[in-house]
């Protein structure tokens, strides 16, 4: 059965093409800085937005009626698997990502739910074998069902905590079975609304305990995926515990989990936290914690998690500049955690949106590579900090300075001379390079 019968394989036609169903910049086999675009970007499709999402918003029901929607939830789940692999093939994306509850519906008991999941996992496994498509990451949805009203790993109810453990155990087993290269933990409802009813210390300790159990179980079953925590500052709770990269790293360090986890960073979560995506990537990278990316963009005028497809070339350039400087995305990838707008409800929009996102990232990659080759920024930065390579600066960096030695130096170093940071010039250089791609 074909779900996208009218659409063929999307190919690269280059800059001059006006075919909406073709790539203008994403040319998978094109080599950039010694590696193909495909290997740099490791694109993934987010199952929940592309195959489970319907376009609901807080004010209205779904607008998209998909050809894989049937009356029986298991029939829909099976049809979605077929639609997923057809889509991956046609759009030319090597990976996908899913939550357990995106792919298979909840039953009336945990046993029944696990059975549904097993049926779908069988299908996913077969389709992966025949298509060569891979699982970038899977995760557990522990936020949609009403049982998670007070959280999962940070709930006030031990019975719910136990359920979370059981669900995670199954989810890790599914990840192992499908060869997931990463496993993501996003703190869905791990946060709080008011301190008046919250034991923050216990909640955080319990969350860390659950992560330790996951590490232990993955070891036990030989599941060697890279574990990732995905920060987000708010939504659904007012205060999400994994606020941003820095907060999450501090949490991991406090509970001695830092060697078992890296971060899955999302662009829209970065801006919700009052940061840029490149800031979050830099924080992760300098701490050895850069794991994977959820590619999307928010709308600064709206201010919530809109999960739009990334089209801002400045942002994709700065994102890829950080990724390249960090030495690449490693076992992670660029997952389109993005949904078509409610008004873009036709099936073709799914293709058009991914093409826009993939071309924007390809552009960003090419511009970032040019920035690196030109050394326009790195040369400036190197020069800006040159005072730390000689004299008193070299002593500071070598750990040889004391307050007394700094005083002795400062007393006879008068006046001090500073130099311009040249921000406007640097931004103009970035613009020139983005325009020249
Ligand atoms: C929600 C998150 C979520 C994670 C996976 O805002 O982005 O979709 O990526 O649970
Ligand atoms: Ca995400
Ligand atoms: Ca999001």
């Amino acid at each position: 059965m074909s779900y996208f019968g009218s659409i063929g394989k999307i190919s690269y036609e280059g800059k001059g093409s006006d075919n909406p169903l073709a790539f203008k910049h994403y040319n998978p086999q094109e080599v950039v800085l010694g590696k193909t675009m495909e290997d740099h970007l490791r694109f993934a499709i987010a199952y929940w937005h592309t195959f489970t999402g319907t376009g609901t918003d807080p004010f209205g029901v779904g607008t998209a009626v998909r050809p894989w929607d049937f009356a029986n939830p298991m029939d829909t789940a099976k049809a979605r698997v077929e639609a997923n692999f057809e889509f991956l093939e046609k759009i030319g994306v090597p990976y996908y990502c899913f939550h357990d509850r995106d792919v298979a519906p909840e039953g009336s008991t945990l046993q029944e739910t696990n059975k549904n999941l097993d049926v779908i996992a069988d299908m996913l496994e077969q389709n992966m074998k025949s298509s060569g498509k891979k699982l970038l990451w899977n995760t557990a949805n522990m936020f949609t069902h009403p049982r998670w009203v007070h959280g999962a790993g940070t709930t006030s109810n031990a019975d719910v905590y136990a359920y979370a453990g059981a669900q995670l155990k199954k989810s890790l087993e599914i990840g192992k079975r499908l060869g997931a290269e990463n496993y993501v933990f996003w703190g869905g409802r791990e946060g709080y609304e008011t301190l008046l009813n919250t034991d923050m210390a216990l909640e955080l300790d319990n969350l860390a305990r659950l992560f330790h159990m996951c590490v232990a179980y993955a070891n036990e079953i030989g599941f060697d995926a890279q574990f990732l925590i995905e920060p987000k500052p708010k939504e659904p709770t007012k205060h999400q515990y994994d606020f941003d990269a820095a907060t999450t790293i501090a949490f991991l360090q406090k509970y001695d989990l830092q060697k078992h986890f890296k971060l899955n960073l999302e662009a829209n979560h970065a801006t919700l936290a009052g940061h840029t995506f490149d800031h979050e990537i830099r924080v992760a990278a300098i701490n050895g914690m850069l794991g994977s990316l959820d590619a999307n963009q928010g709308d600064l005028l709206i201010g919530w998690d809109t999960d739009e497809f990334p089209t801002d070339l400045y942002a994709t350039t700065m994102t890829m500049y950080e990724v390249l400087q960090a030495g690449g995305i490693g076992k992670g990838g660029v997952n389109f955690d993005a949904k078509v707008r409610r008004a873009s409800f036709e099936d073709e929009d799914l293709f058009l949106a991914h093409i826009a996102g993939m071309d924007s990232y390809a552009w960003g990659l090419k511009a970032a590579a040019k920035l690196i080759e030109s050394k326009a920024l790195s040369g400036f930065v190197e020069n800006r900090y040159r005072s730390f390579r000689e004299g008193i600066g070299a002593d500071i960096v070598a750990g040889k300075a004391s307050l007394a030695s700094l005083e002795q130096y400062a007393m006879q170093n008068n006046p001090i001379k500073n130099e311009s940071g040249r921000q406007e010039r640097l931004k103009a250089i970035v613009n020139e390079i983005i325009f020249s791609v």
Side-chain angles (χ1 to χ4, degrees), residues 108-289:
S108 49
T109 61
L110 184 54
Q111 285 83 340
E112 204 183 295
T113 302
N114 285 346
K115 228 163 91 194
N116 289 345
L117 192 52
D118 282 332
V119 170
I120 299 299
D122 282 344
M123 272 187 84
L124 291 169
E125 198 175 5
Q126 281 162 17
N127 277 277
M128 286 169 75
K129 261 199 199 120
S130 57
S131 66
K133 301 296 178 190
K134 295 169 283 184
L135 184 57
L136 185 67
W137 51 262
N138 65 315
T139 184
N141 176 331
M142 303 196 298
F143 44 90
T144 299
H145 191 279
R147 82 174 62 82
W148 311 117
V149 60
H150 303 303
T154 61
T155 174
S156 48
N157 182 347
D159 289 352
V160 172
Y161 189 97
Y163 195 107
Q167 187 172 330
L168 282 166
K169 177 173 176 290
K170 180 73 184 172
S171 181
L172 293 169
E173 290 162 6
I174 296 282
K176 168 161 167 78
R177 181 169 159 198
L178 298 179
E181 296 184 23
N182 303 268
Y183 187 89
V184 164
F185 299 83
W186 167 57
R189 292 185 190 273
E190 317 298 13
Y192 70 93
E193 296 297 325
T194 172
L195 286 176
L196 297 176
N197 65 13
T198 301
D199 183 341
M200 188 194 281
L202 177 67
E203 292 198 357
L204 286 166
D205 288 351
N206 280 347
L207 185 59
R209 288 182 182 109
L210 196 57
F211 287 143
H212 275 291
M213 290 183 224
C214 288
V215 169
Y217 190 63
N219 278 338
E220 192 183 320
I221 63 173
F223 179 34
D224 62 358
Q226 173 171 270
F227 272 18
L228 304 172
I229 296 199
E230 181 179 327
K232 183 173 183 180
K234 53 191 163 197
E235 269 193 63
T237 71
K238 183 162 68 174
H239 303 271
Q240 295 279 124
Y241 287 130
D242 300 324
F243 187 94
D244 61 1
T247 313
T248 307
I249 291 169
F251 168 88
L252 291 170
Q253 286 171 345
K254 172 176 176 188
Y255 292 101
D256 201 22
L257 284 160
Q258 72 280 4
K259 51 187 174 301
H260 304 294
F261 287 81
K262 287 189 176 176
L263 302 182
N264 181 43
L265 298 168
E266 181 180 313
N268 203 162
H269 298 181
T271 48
L272 281 177
H275 302 308
T276 57
F277 200 19
D278 36 306
H279 165 92
E280 289 291 85
I281 296 171
R282 180 72 67 94
V283 170
I286 63 172
N287 286 287
M289 298 294 252

Side-chain angles (χ1 to χ4, degrees), residues 10 20 22-27 37 41 43-45 87 91 93 294-297 307-313 315-317 319-320 334-340 349-365:
I10 308 298
F23 296 115
K24 323 293 179 298
H25 299 282
Y26 180 60
N27 183 8
M37 280 195 180
L41 293 164
F43 283 133
I45 301 296
F87 188 81
I91 195 82
V93 162
D294 271 7
N296 58 18
Q297 69 189 30
D307 286 347
E308 295 174 31
F309 274 85
T311 51
D312 177 339
L313 300 182
T316 59
T317 299
T319 297
M320 289 314 298
V334 174
N335 168 47
F336 288 107
D337 191 352
K339 57 185 172 208
V340 287
D349 288 309
L350 296 173
F351 282 89
L352 298 174
H354 282 89
I355 291 168
M358 290 162 77
D359 269 343
S360 299
Y361 262 82
W363 187 301
L365 169 64

Side-chain angles (χ1 to χ4, degrees), residues 1-12 21-23 26 45 82-94 131 133 351 354-355 358:
M1 163 96 195
S2 167
Y3 293 95
F4 305 103
S6 62
I7 295 174
K9 182 141 174 75
I10 308 298
S11 50
Y12 170 72
L21 289 168
F23 296 115
Y26 180 60
I45 301 296
E82 290 173 356
N84 175 54
F85 286 93
E86 183 183 345
F87 188 81
L88 290 174
E89 188 52 41
K90 289 188 165 168
I91 195 82
V93 162
S131 66
K133 301 296 178 190
F351 282 89
H354 282 89
I355 291 168
M358 290 162 77

Side-chain angles (χ1 to χ4, degrees), residues 15 23 48 54 414:
K15 260 185 181 176
F23 296 115
W48 52 103
T54 57
N414 190 32

